[in-house]
């Protein structure tokens, strides 16, 4: 009798258990909870990536502008969001005491609690202009060369960038890393200077081996470099360090030297071309049209100091099997939190994603209160995402929130999905590997806007202040 009673109880419970399992088995539909979580940053800084009250999906209709999210439309797979870990950034973070540094690294690179989950870093191959001094990995006395690269070593990076990367990798072993040189060793250049000049063709093969040695040396440190660009801003020879490299030269270097050198050494690191402004899509197109270079090229990288972000789609449409990357945009000391928030979220985050980029990176991760360090002739107005002053106080600058609105919610492996631009409500949507839907919206208008977010025949209504940015997750 007792057994019969137990059987009856189990039979009665089975439908309830089945319903609970069904409801909890997927995060892809609104029917899970019927709610969307949201985080907002406002231009007046009263709210910075701050969680709001949940919004409830319903079947009511109204006349508000509507952003419709369509998960059946799938675009590119996302590799990550982040910053450049310059030598100066590493120095700024490493001066913190152990407890404060570890807490900061967890906040930046983990996906726990209030962390922002940075998933992609760009580093310089040798010095960038945000190092305290200029160096390459094979500097020689004037008039001397090192054709066999016997003096190659990671130099100053072994004191800051490499040890900090090891700590970051302990938190996020899957973080993507891209390396970009600002200049080759000066003995390879036609002007013998770290600033400007061109790589001499007679050193193309030696420089290709320099890249091979770099990737192998980093791997020996436990650091896998996922991608490299042959040159940062190849059409900007006025920085220090810098190099002038035209598209035809880069095609020759990749097709006849760098690509074959990687293949011979069995290096899987991606070669990504250009790494400069959106005003010259013909630069990467020239390389991609080169029969020798093309097979070695994984994609093209862009900045947006000139041109329009739609240049990425121009390149994508011509070569849809090659990836697009957005690798640098600075926030400057002379602009406001409000202006930088609006412009960068609209263009760097939303714009790059809607134009096929697989990542979105801002410039330096950290510096001090004087925007230091930078090289003589380097950028003296570049504002890091973090300002770490002489007393080790940490200030989260606008760049932190620009990237945080994406990195915190859109992990590697997420896929961009369909969403429409409605009026001044610029936006981009993603489906994460766990099945969540993420929508990032920037109100580019001059007044607060009430609007709907529609998904799977249901919608929520919400209001976003002028210039504000919101991330919605359900």
């Amino acid at each position: 009798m007792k057994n019969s009673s137990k059987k009856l109880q189990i039979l009665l419970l089975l439908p309830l258990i089945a319903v609970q399992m069904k409801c909890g088995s997927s995060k892809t539909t609104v029917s899970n909870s019927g709610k969307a979580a949201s985080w907002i940053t406002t231009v007046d800084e009263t709210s910075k990536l701050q969680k709001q009250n949940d919004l409830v999906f319903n079947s009511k209709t109204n006349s508000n502008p509507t952003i419709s999210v369509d998960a059946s439309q799938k675009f590119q797979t996302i590799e990550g969001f982040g910053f450049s870990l310059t030598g100066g950034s590493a120095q700024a973070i490493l001066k913190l005491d152990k407890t404060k540094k570890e807490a900061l690294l967890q906040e930046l690179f983990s996906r726990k609690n209030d962390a922002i989950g940075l998933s992609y870093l760009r580093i310089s191959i040798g010095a960038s202009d945000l190092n305290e001094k200029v160096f390459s990995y094979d500097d020689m006395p004037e008039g001397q060369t090192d054709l066999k690269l016997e003096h190659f070593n990671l130099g100053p990076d072994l004191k800051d960038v490499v040890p900090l990367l090891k700590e970051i990798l302990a938190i996020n072993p899957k973080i993507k890393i891209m390396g970009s040189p600002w200049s080759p060793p000066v003995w390879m250049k036609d002007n013998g200077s770290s600033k400007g000049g061109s790589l001499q063709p007679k050193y193309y093969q030696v420089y290709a081996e320099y890249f091979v040695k770099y990737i192998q040396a980093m791997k020996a440190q436990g650091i896998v470099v996922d991608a490299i660009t042959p040159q940062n801003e190849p059409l900007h020879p006025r920085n220090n360090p810098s190099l002038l490299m035209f598209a035809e030269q880069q095609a020759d270097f990749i097709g006849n030297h760098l690509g074959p050198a990687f293949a011979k050494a069995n290096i899987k690191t991606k070669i990504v071309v250009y790494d400069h402004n959106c005003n010259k899509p013909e630069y990467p197109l020239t390389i991609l049209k080169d029969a020798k270079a093309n097979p070695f090229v994984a994609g093209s990288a862009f900045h947006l100091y000139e041109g329009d972000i739609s240049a990425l789609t121009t390149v994508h449409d011509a070569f849809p099997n090659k990836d697009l990357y957005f690798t640098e945009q600075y926030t400057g000391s002379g602009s406001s939190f409000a202006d930088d928030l609006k412009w960068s979220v609209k263009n760097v985050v939303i714009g790059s994603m809607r134009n096929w980029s697989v990542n979105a990176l801002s410039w330096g991760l950290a510096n001090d209160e004087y925007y230091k360090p930078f090289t003589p002739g380097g950028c003296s107005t570049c504002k890091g995402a973090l300002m770490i002053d002489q007393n080790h106080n940490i200030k989260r600058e606008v760049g932190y929130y620009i990237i945080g609105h994406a990195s915190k919610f859109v992990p590697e492996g997420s896929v961009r999905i369909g969403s429409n631009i409605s009026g001044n409500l610029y936006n981009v949507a993603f489906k994460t590997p766990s099945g969540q839907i993420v929508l990032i919206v920037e109100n580019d208008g001059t007044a607060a806007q009430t609007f709907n977010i529609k998904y799977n025949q249901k919608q929520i209504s919400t209001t976003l202040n002028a210039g504000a940015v919101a991330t919605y997750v359900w």
Side-chain angles (χ1 to χ4, degrees), residues 38-42 47-50 81 116 341 345 349 398-410 430 438-441 468-473:
S38 63
W39 287 257
I40 288 179
T41 300
T42 54
S47 178
K48 292 181 176 179
L49 202 53
Q50 191 170 317
F81 298 89
I116 61 168
L341 179 73
V345 172
V349 177
V398 64
Y400 176 97
Y401 301 100
I402 291 165
I403 294 298
H405 264 281
S407 61
K408 182 176 177 67
F409 310 101
V410 186
F430 306 90
V438 179
L439 177 70
I440 302 169
V441 182
V469 175
T471 302
Y472 304 92
V473 181

Side-chain angles (χ1 to χ4, degrees), residues 338-379:
D339 289 345
D340 280 337
L341 179 73
K342 283 180 60 176
W343 190 92
S344 282
V345 172
K346 176 184 174 182
N347 291 283
V348 173
V349 177
I350 295 170
S352 72
M353 293 291 114
R354 292 190 73 96
N355 286 279
W356 296 97
S357 187
V358 299
N359 73 346
L361 310 180
S362 283
W363 184 207
L365 178 58
N367 52 17
D368 69 16
E369 64 266 51
Y370 306 108
Y371 308 106
K372 292 181 177 180
F374 50 84
T375 62
C379 182

Side-chain angles (χ1 to χ4, degrees), residues 152-339:
F152 181 96
N153 67 85
L154 294 175
D157 283 350
L158 290 170
K159 296 177 182 177
D160 41 54
V161 172
V162 168
L164 190 59
L165 275 176
K166 289 179 180 180
E167 292 190 57
I168 292 166
L169 285 163
I171 297 168
N172 179 6
K174 290 169 61 180
I175 196 164
K176 289 277 199 298
I177 297 168
M178 174 182 280
S180 303
W182 267 238
S183 173
V186 297
W187 54 266
M188 296 186 188
K189 301 172 74 173
D190 59 8
N191 68 345
S193 169
S194 61
K195 184 177 179 179
S198 296
L199 178 66
Q200 297 185 65
K202 66 180 178 180
Y203 293 124
Y204 278 14
Q205 191 58 41
V206 182
Y207 195 39
E209 296 298 333
Y210 179 93
F211 279 89
V212 170
K213 280 189 171 287
Y214 167 70
I215 291 159
Q216 291 172 337
M218 291 295 275
K219 188 176 181 182
Q221 294 289 335
I223 299 165
V224 175
V225 179
D226 182 71
I228 59 94
T229 65
Q231 176 59 38
N232 169 70
E233 299 191 341
L235 299 178
H236 177 36
R238 298 172 298 283
N239 202 355
N240 186 26
S242 60
L243 176 82
L244 179 65
M245 180 182 266
F246 295 115
E248 294 79 8
Q249 294 171 319
Q250 194 163 119
D252 179 8
F253 177 59
I254 293 168
N256 296 307
H257 305 278
L258 185 61
F262 275 20
K264 184 180 178 182
N266 197 31
I267 284 173
K268 306 301 183 188
T269 300
K270 299 167 191 165
I271 298 172
V272 178
V273 303
Y274 190 39
D275 208 5
H276 207 172
N277 287 327
C278 287
N279 63 333
K280 299 284 185 184
E282 62 270 22
Y283 190 115
L285 288 172
T286 297
I287 301 169
L288 291 168
K289 289 173 184 174
D290 185 279
K292 281 193 173 181
N294 179 288
F296 297 115
V297 174
S300 309
F302 288 86
H303 308 173
L304 191 54
Y305 301 111
E306 292 183 82
D308 188 273
I309 195 67
S310 62
L312 279 70
T313 290
T314 300
V315 177
H316 171 268
D317 289 350
F319 293 91
N321 64 325
K322 302 293 187 180
D323 285 330
L324 280 301
Y325 294 80
F326 192 91
T327 48
E328 180 187 315
Q329 194 69 32
Y330 97 137
T331 50
S333 60
S335 55
S336 68
F337 183 100
D339 289 345

Side-chain angles (χ1 to χ4, degrees), residues 137-154:
Y137 298 137
D138 200 334
D139 291 327
M140 298 295 293
E142 189 173 351
Q144 294 185 31
T145 62
D146 182 19
L147 300 183
K148 294 183 179 179
L149 301 175
E150 293 172 336
H151 299 280
F152 181 96
N153 67 85
L154 294 175

